[in-house]
Amino acid sequence: MKIAGSVATLTICFILIHYVNSLAVMSVDLGSEWMKVGVVSPGVPMEIALNKESKRKTPAIISYKDNERLFGEDAQTLGIRFPKSAYVYLLDLLGKDINHPMVKLYQQRFPYYDIIENPKRKTIMFKHDEDNIYSVEELLAQLLVKAKEFAEQAAHQPIKECVITVPGYFNQVEREALIQAVKLANLKLLQLINDYTAVALNYGIFRSKDFNETSQYIMFYDMGASSTTATIVSFQNSKTKERGYLETHPELSIIGVGYDRTLGGLEMQIRLRDYLGAKFNEVKKTKNNVFENKRSMAKLFKEAGRLKNVLSANAQHIAQIEGLLDEEDFKLSVTRQEFEDLIPDLLERVANPIEQALKNAQLSKDVLHQVVLFGAGTRVPKVQEILRNIVGQDLAKNLNTDEAAAMGAVYKAADLSTGFQVKKFITKDAVLFPIQVIFEREVESHVKQVKRTLFGLMNPYPQKKIITFNKHTDDFTFNVNYADLDYLKANEIKNIGILNLTEVSLTGVRAAIEKHPLSENVESKGIKAHFQMDESGVLNLINVDLVVEKKVIETEDEGTLSKLGSTISKLFGGEEKVEEKLEADKIPTETSNITENEKQTKETIEGKLTSNSSDIKNNTMKTKPKILSIKEPILVNIKSMNIPSLDQEQFTQSQTKLETLDSLEKEILRRSTALNNLETFVVDVQNKLSEDEYSEAVTVEDKEKILNLCSSVSDWLYEEGADVDAATYETKLEYLKTETNPLFARVWEHQERPEALSALNSMLNHSTHFLESAKNLTESVNPTKNVFTDKEVQSLEKIISDTQDWLLKNVEAQEKLKRYENVVLTVKSITEKMGLLDREVKYLVNKLRIWKPKKEEKKGKPIKKDDTLQTPTEEESEKNETLTNGNEEKQSSNKIESDEEMKNETVTIGNEEQSSDKIKSDGEKSEPPHNEL
């Protein structure tokens, strides 16, 4: 799907309602190899933010050299020359210790990095040099800051809120580490969204009209740079109760996921890189081994990536690298078949994620409506051939494999932001790694270990769960761990890392129990631990309480009729709502419709109320037991059994490090800008002084002085001025501008004066014509059409005369001067004269435009009757009299003349046209006062 073609459709489901002190939001599809940024701002539909090269995706690479930080393609280019200084494929290193299998694989793939262990957290760090060490979170935070810059440039406003995509197989520790990176980037995280969920959402928002109450099962097969995922998604319309009534919305549910963490385009590229290196060594153009040279390996890696992409569309291509090793070039023809022969074991693994996803979803491949390809790795023809054979149907290629995840995530960001309202699309993700609670309980004479599943495989989230401990009367501990992972292959279980998550210690249990001793009216409901799997897939322990129920006898003044009415209200959808509490692994269910039995029950109760109302109205006073639920909080201490998050001290240190890098980068940018401006100015002045236009505008002495000054600055730049700070360059530039400003000002005056004089003469010409016409519209010349007073006309005449005299005098004086002498007739003085004349003419023109002629007063004729003079009746007066007061016309019979007549009444003053109104009243036409103009 092309993003340009989707904007029209998108506006249907994306509606901007209002913008209330809210900023634009963004999404970042943070992949192993590429980074894509989506953005949405008020009044602008969702779009992909371009980088500084105007490209829609950016290599997820960061590099350092000589205190300069580079990103994207610049970092990629530097990485070929200095591989150790450019850091790539960082995502899968999050939340892992130095002995993790993924870290070992990374070191094998990229042997030139110096990876060390963080002594506190046991995570890995990159040792750049003796003074600079970077954690994975710090490197990713800097990439996110750069993504924010791209988004802000696209939105033209600041951005703080974001949604970040994350591989669906990321565990709790990896998700927490990415959240730490987002915080280091000073961004507000709205949600982590699984990449396949974002892709499915992007797919669904353009096809929501095709969904109905019957589930459609779509499989998304994503082979990216580092990993491969197969996801089965159920699309359907579902009814939800909102604002008191049912609404139908499209919904997607993740029901099956299979993945292979190390199957992807990167492994194929590594195989091809090693193949090219081996072929170069076979030629023996040099005695040195290409695998021992870091720069040569980086060149081979880049060429292998290009070759892999070309072979996806061509059966054969030539790999060639200039100066691969010891100035020796390399050239080799590679066929697609040779490439496929390098990866037979990888091709065998293509089917595994599909089988795993179908098993988790408990579906067969026959029910799949469509299999949609996503990810650059799916472009390999052999991969597509294998997939077609597995699923037994044609593969859909109607998704933009580069941008679907970013666009789905930015839709979610707009939905979560307060400044936008989008068409509701319900998303239900699923737990990929089951989580359980393990605790010990004394049974007779021994201690028994109890396991309770908290979130099972494919449980939907976000969701809350409650675990109840009924037998503990003293302080105790329990553990939260990953549960049964037998559905995964052994190597994937190892890639998850440590399976223990946290140890939770509860204190104050006995004191809480003793505070509420058990009795006939007091019953303990146990210690309840409230867990939540939030929208980002992160497990949180919300709180732990001892819950006690007490029976209290109270008297209530409530009739039976009232109580039964309340019961009916609650039973059949009254306003009162009771929050459902879940225990263990129960999944909440909803019933949206009233059954037939419930309707009959309601009718029966209402009938009884009607027939017995006379008897039960007397029952107004009754006592009943009321149950009070009391919650006593329990103190909780959580200890991480896995890799811990950054503590406050470590977070502050990392934040300070990044702020220092930002400040240093800004200073470097300021210095380079100041140096470039100074060099450009010096060269510009030297070049202009060789032109006649500038050379004639300066004296010989001043010209020599300026040239000597430029030469001295130029020499200084290439000597002691090469290493100075930005402020020194800015000071030098300011001094040069001060010395050359008189020259540039004179040249500018000579360049702009002719145009300014032409404009003034044109205004004088039009003003003079207007003056001649205006003289005919004064009371002394035309009493019936007295638009202007004599004083107003005389004032305009004086201004025109004074301006003409001033212009003649100053033009003559200026022509006598040399071009290097101080200017007498400045552009500013000309514009001031034009402004004075323009104001006077506009005043008269506006007065002419709004002027309306006075109507002659028609007096009613007296009626002679019985030798008595009688005034006209009120009705006769209305017919015979129309009174006009000055310029105010209040008669409803006034009409505007046609456009044809208005054109004849246009007065042109300079470039302005003013039209007067033509009024007709009582069937008579009054001629405009300026027909004589």
Side-chain angles (χ1 to χ4, degrees):
M1 181 186 300
K2 298 288 182 65
I3 186 64
S6 67
V7 172
T9 308
L10 192 59
T11 55
I12 298 175
C13 59
F14 180 82
I15 307 170
L16 176 65
I17 300 300
H18 58 82
Y19 176 51
V20 186
N21 297 325
S22 179
L23 303 177
V25 292
M26 72 170 185
S27 69
V28 183
D29 179 17
L30 187 60
S32 298
E33 185 178 12
W34 298 96
M35 177 176 67
K36 281 81 69 176
V37 181
V39 64
V40 57
S41 56
V44 179
M46 295 180 287
E47 60 182 359
I48 295 294
L50 305 181
N51 59 21
K52 69 174 187 176
E53 291 87 12
S54 297
K55 295 184 178 179
R56 302 174 74 86
K57 63 179 182 178
T58 304
I61 305 175
I62 180 173
S63 68
Y64 305 88
K65 187 178 182 299
D66 298 333
N67 292 326
E68 186 176 5
R69 185 171 51 172
L70 300 175
F71 297 89
E73 293 186 0
D74 292 338
Q76 193 176 47
T77 302
L78 182 67
I80 297 175
R81 298 174 56 202
F82 307 99
K84 182 185 175 182
S85 300
Y87 301 100
V88 298
Y89 295 94
L90 300 168
L91 196 63
D92 278 332
L93 298 176
L94 272 172
K96 296 174 179 62
D97 58 45
I98 200 166
N99 297 316
H100 194 282
M102 293 297 296
V103 175
K104 296 296 182 184
L105 180 61
Y106 187 89
Q107 289 176 310
Q108 178 184 338
R109 288 170 169 174
F110 308 106
Y112 35 77
Y113 292 120
D114 188 1
I115 296 179
I116 62 175
E117 183 181 50
N118 185 316
K120 290 185 178 180
R121 300 176 61 214
K122 306 302 180 183
T123 54
I124 69 165
M125 303 188 75
F126 290 94
K127 185 176 181 181
H128 183 71
D129 52 37
E130 293 300 325
D131 299 323
N132 296 289
I133 299 175
Y134 301 104
S135 67
V136 180
E137 290 90 342
E138 291 167 352
L139 294 174
L140 287 175
Q142 294 173 72
L143 286 174
L144 292 175
V145 170
K146 183 56 63 174
K148 176 187 173 185
E149 291 180 12
F150 297 156
E152 289 178 338
Q153 290 169 4
H156 305 292
Q157 58 182 289
I159 290 180
K160 293 292 290 184
E161 298 178 332
C162 65
V163 169
I164 310 292
T165 66
V166 60
Y169 54 77
F170 259 28
N171 59 31
Q172 295 294 310
V173 176
E174 291 168 315
R175 291 174 188 268
E176 289 282 3
L178 185 54
I179 292 174
Q180 293 281 322
V182 175
K183 290 180 180 178
L184 284 174
N186 198 26
L187 288 168
K188 179 183 178 182
L189 180 68
L190 297 175
Q191 181 184 331
L192 293 180
I193 184 170
N194 291 335
D195 48 11
Y196 46 70
T197 307
V199 171
L201 179 58
N202 178 251
Y203 177 90
I205 58 179
F206 296 104
R207 296 165 179 82
S208 58
K209 291 184 178 180
D210 300 333
F211 303 148
N212 51 41
E213 286 71 22
T214 303
S215 296
Q216 294 184 22
Y217 300 111
I218 309 295
M219 174 180 283
F220 295 91
Y221 190 88
D222 176 12
M223 180 178 284
S226 296
S227 61
T228 298
T229 307
T231 309
I232 300 176
V233 183
S234 169
F235 289 98
Q236 67 181 96
N237 288 335
S238 65
K239 294 181 179 180
T240 59
K241 192 171 184 180
E242 297 180 12
R243 297 184 294 273
Y245 57 90
L246 292 177
E247 291 186 354
T248 301
H249 299 291
E251 176 185 298
L252 72 85
S253 300
I254 307 297
I255 61 174
V257 179
Y259 73 94
D260 189 329
R261 194 184 281 251
T262 58
L263 174 63
L266 174 60
E267 184 61 30
M268 298 179 185
Q269 188 173 344
I270 293 291
R271 301 279 181 93
L272 198 51
R273 178 200 68 179
D274 295 344
Y275 173 75
L276 296 178
K279 287 295 184 182
F280 178 81
N281 282 343
E282 288 178 7
V283 179
K284 296 184 178 180
K285 288 187 176 182
T286 175
K287 61 181 181 180
N288 293 321
N289 187 349
V290 70
F291 292 104
E292 296 176 357
N293 187 288
K294 298 177 181 179
R295 184 174 297 183
S296 298
M297 291 297 290
K299 291 181 179 180
L300 284 171
F301 182 74
K302 181 181 180 182
E303 182 62 15
R306 187 188 71 84
L307 184 62
K308 179 193 68 172
N309 294 335
V310 174
L311 289 176
S312 296
N314 299 275
Q316 184 176 359
H317 191 65
I318 296 177
Q320 49 187 355
I321 305 172
E322 294 184 3
L324 175 59
L325 181 64
D326 296 339
E327 304 301 326
E328 293 291 342
D329 298 340
F330 174 63
K331 189 174 184 179
L332 179 69
S333 177
V334 182
T335 65
R336 182 186 295 169
Q337 186 59 50
E338 288 174 329
F339 170 54
E340 292 173 356
D341 291 341
L342 297 174
I343 54 172
D345 57 322
L346 300 183
L347 297 175
E348 291 176 359
R349 292 158 55 186
V350 168
N352 294 338
I354 295 179
E355 296 171 357
Q356 183 182 346
L358 289 170
K359 183 178 179 181
N360 290 344
Q362 298 180 359
L363 296 175
S364 65
K365 61 184 179 182
D366 300 330
V367 302
L368 297 178
H369 285 70
Q370 202 174 42
V371 177
V372 182
L373 298 185
F374 183 74
T378 57
R379 297 191 181 110
V380 177
K382 191 65 175 178
V383 172
Q384 294 185 13
E385 179 185 339
I386 295 172
L387 291 175
R388 276 193 297 269
N389 294 334
I390 295 172
V391 300
Q393 59 176 281
D394 291 334
L395 305 174
K397 304 174 184 178
N398 51 0
L399 270 182
N400 187 321
T401 59
D402 285 332
E403 300 173 3
M407 295 302 292
V410 80
Y411 189 91
K412 175 60 72 172
D415 186 23
L416 296 175
S417 174
T418 58
F420 305 92
Q421 182 174 338
V422 301
K423 181 177 179 181
K424 188 176 181 61
F425 204 114
I426 303 170
T427 59
K428 293 183 179 180
D429 221 310
V431 175
L432 202 54
F433 305 128
I435 296 177
Q436 64 184 0
V437 171
I438 302 176
F439 59 95
E440 293 180 345
R441 187 170 62 193
E442 292 186 5
V443 179
E444 296 179 352
S445 60
H446 66 280
V447 176
K448 178 182 178 182
Q449 188 180 68
V450 181
K451 296 181 179 180
R452 289 188 184 178
T453 300
L454 189 61
F455 289 94
L457 178 64
M458 291 294 121
N459 273 184
Y461 72 82
Q463 188 181 166
K464 294 180 181 180
K465 294 288 187 73
I466 302 174
I467 292 291
T468 303
F469 303 94
N470 292 314
K471 305 299 182 180
H472 291 81
T473 58
D474 210 339
D475 297 349
F476 66 100
T477 63
F478 62 87
N479 292 81
V480 180
N481 301 334
Y482 291 115
D484 186 13
L485 300 173
D486 291 343
Y487 74 97
L488 294 174
K489 294 185 179 296
N491 63 320
E492 291 298 343
I493 296 177
K494 290 181 180 179
N495 288 332
I496 294 177
I498 303 172
L499 301 183
N500 299 328
L501 293 175
T502 57
E503 180 184 84
V504 181
S505 300
L506 304 182
T507 56
V509 174
R510 179 171 293 278
I513 294 174
E514 292 176 350
K515 192 173 181 180
H516 303 280
L518 300 180
S519 64
E520 183 180 351
N521 295 327
V522 178
E523 181 182 1
S524 175
K525 292 298 181 179
I527 297 172
K528 297 182 181 293
H530 298 254
F531 291 89
Q532 180 191 36
M533 182 77 75
D534 64 18
E535 294 83 354
S536 298
V538 177
L539 179 66
N540 298 292
L541 175 59
I542 303 173
N543 62 283
V544 180
D545 298 315
L546 169 66
V547 179
V548 176
E549 289 186 352
K550 288 187 177 182
K551 292 182 180 180
V552 178
I553 305 299
E554 64 176 17
T555 301
E556 57 179 13
D557 187 6
E558 182 183 14
T560 307
L561 179 63
S562 175
K563 293 197 299 179
L564 287 175
S566 177
T567 303
I568 295 174
S569 176
K570 294 178 183 178
L571 179 60
F572 296 104
E575 294 182 356
E576 184 175 350
K577 296 182 180 179
V578 179
E579 181 180 355
E580 183 177 4
K581 297 181 180 180
L582 305 176
E583 294 190 13
D585 55 352
K586 291 182 182 178
I587 300 175
T589 58
E590 280 190 17
T591 56
S592 57
N593 299 318
I594 300 175
T595 64
E596 193 65 31
N597 290 335
E598 289 172 335
K599 290 181 181 179
Q600 294 176 0
T601 303
K602 180 180 179 182
E603 293 172 357
T604 302
I605 295 174
E606 288 176 342
K608 289 182 179 180
L609 287 176
T610 305
S611 62
N612 299 321
S613 59
S614 60
D615 296 332
I616 60 180
K617 282 181 181 178
N618 298 324
N619 186 14
T620 57
M621 298 293 291
K622 188 176 181 180
T623 61
K624 72 165 188 177
K626 182 177 181 180
I627 299 177
L628 298 178
S629 181
I630 301 174
K631 295 182 180 180
E632 195 69 36
I634 304 297
L635 296 179
V636 178
N637 180 41
I638 301 176
K639 178 183 177 182
S640 174
M641 305 299 291
N642 212 305
I643 293 176
S645 300
L646 293 168
D647 58 29
Q648 187 58 47
E649 180 183 356
Q650 294 167 338
F651 184 86
T652 303
Q653 290 175 353
S654 295
Q655 201 170 40
T656 302
K657 185 190 299 185
L658 297 186
E659 289 173 355
T660 302
L661 285 171
D662 290 339
S663 301
L664 184 60
E665 188 175 68
K666 290 178 182 178
E667 186 60 31
I668 291 173
L669 178 61
R670 177 190 170 193
R671 182 183 180 279
S672 62
T673 302
L675 173 59
N676 182 66
N677 291 340
L678 181 57
E679 289 178 329
T680 302
F681 189 81
V682 168
V683 174
D684 185 54
V685 171
Q686 291 173 331
N687 291 337
K688 285 181 175 178
L689 284 177
S690 63
E691 302 173 6
D692 293 340
E693 186 179 20
Y694 287 86
S695 182
E696 294 173 359
V698 64
T699 63
V700 177
E701 295 80 7
D702 290 342
K703 178 180 179 180
E704 190 68 24
K705 178 183 176 181
I706 293 173
L707 287 175
N708 290 336
L709 182 59
C710 289
S711 297
S712 64
V713 171
S714 182
D715 294 339
W716 173 81
L717 281 173
Y718 295 101
E719 294 174 0
E720 64 267 23
D723 299 321
V724 300
D725 57 13
T728 305
Y729 292 135
E730 291 166 351
T731 303
K732 287 281 186 182
L733 179 60
E734 191 64 30
Y735 177 68
L736 277 178
K737 287 183 176 180
T738 302
E739 293 296 319
T740 56
N741 275 343
L743 164 64
F744 289 121
R746 283 193 296 271
V747 172
W748 183 85
E749 290 285 352
H750 296 322
Q751 291 174 338
E752 300 296 326
R753 188 185 305 112
E755 186 176 351
L757 287 175
S758 176
L760 178 58
N761 285 320
S762 177
M763 180 171 283
L764 284 170
N765 183 42
H766 289 294
S767 301
T768 302
H769 286 296
F770 175 74
L771 176 64
E772 295 302 320
S773 301
K775 288 180 179 179
N776 297 324
L777 299 176
T778 60
E779 186 175 7
S780 59
V781 177
N782 193 345
T784 61
K785 300 173 183 178
N786 55 337
V787 181
F788 309 118
T789 65
D790 293 332
K791 186 175 181 180
E792 290 172 339
V793 174
Q794 292 169 4
S795 176
L796 174 60
E797 185 175 18
K798 184 175 186 306
I799 290 176
I800 293 174
S801 176
D802 291 347
T803 303
Q804 290 173 335
D805 293 343
W806 174 87
L807 181 61
L808 183 64
K809 176 182 176 182
N810 282 275
V811 168
E812 183 179 353
Q814 182 62 46
E815 290 177 347
K816 293 179 180 179
L817 297 175
K818 302 292 184 182
R819 291 181 67 86
Y820 57 78
E821 293 181 316
N822 292 332
V823 176
V824 173
L825 183 60
T826 63
V827 174
K828 181 180 179 181
S829 62
I830 295 173
T831 55
E832 288 175 350
K833 290 294 182 180
M834 291 175 64
L836 180 63
L837 184 59
D838 182 62
R839 283 192 299 272
E840 188 68 23
V841 173
K842 278 185 177 179
Y843 168 76
L844 297 180
V845 170
N846 288 333
K847 187 174 182 182
L848 174 63
R849 181 174 58 84
I850 65 176
W851 185 86
K852 292 180 176 62
K854 293 182 180 180
K855 300 297 179 182
E856 293 184 2
E857 184 176 343
K858 297 180 181 180
K859 299 180 181 179
K861 296 180 180 180
I863 300 175
K864 185 174 182 181
K865 187 176 182 181
D866 297 333
D867 297 331
T868 304
L869 290 175
Q870 296 182 359
T871 59
T873 65
E874 182 177 352
E875 181 178 354
E876 291 170 337
S877 298
E878 289 179 354
K879 291 182 179 179
N880 297 329
E881 294 186 5
T882 301
L883 300 180
T884 304
N885 185 15
N887 291 332
E888 296 179 1
E889 197 67 44
K890 299 184 179 179
Q891 300 300 323
S892 61
S893 61
N894 291 352
K895 297 182 180 179
I896 306 298
E897 287 295 313
S898 66
D899 292 341
E900 183 94 18
E901 294 171 326
M902 291 293 290
K903 290 179 181 177
N904 296 329
E905 302 169 13
T906 301
V907 181
T908 304
I909 306 297
N911 293 326
E912 299 182 5
E913 292 187 351
Q914 303 289 346
S915 299
S916 65
D917 296 333
K918 196 172 188 182
I919 310 297
K920 61 179 181 179
S921 178
D922 295 330
E924 296 181 358
K925 248 184 230 180
S926 57
E927 293 296 326
H930 51 284
N931 261 0
E932 304 168 9
L933 295 183

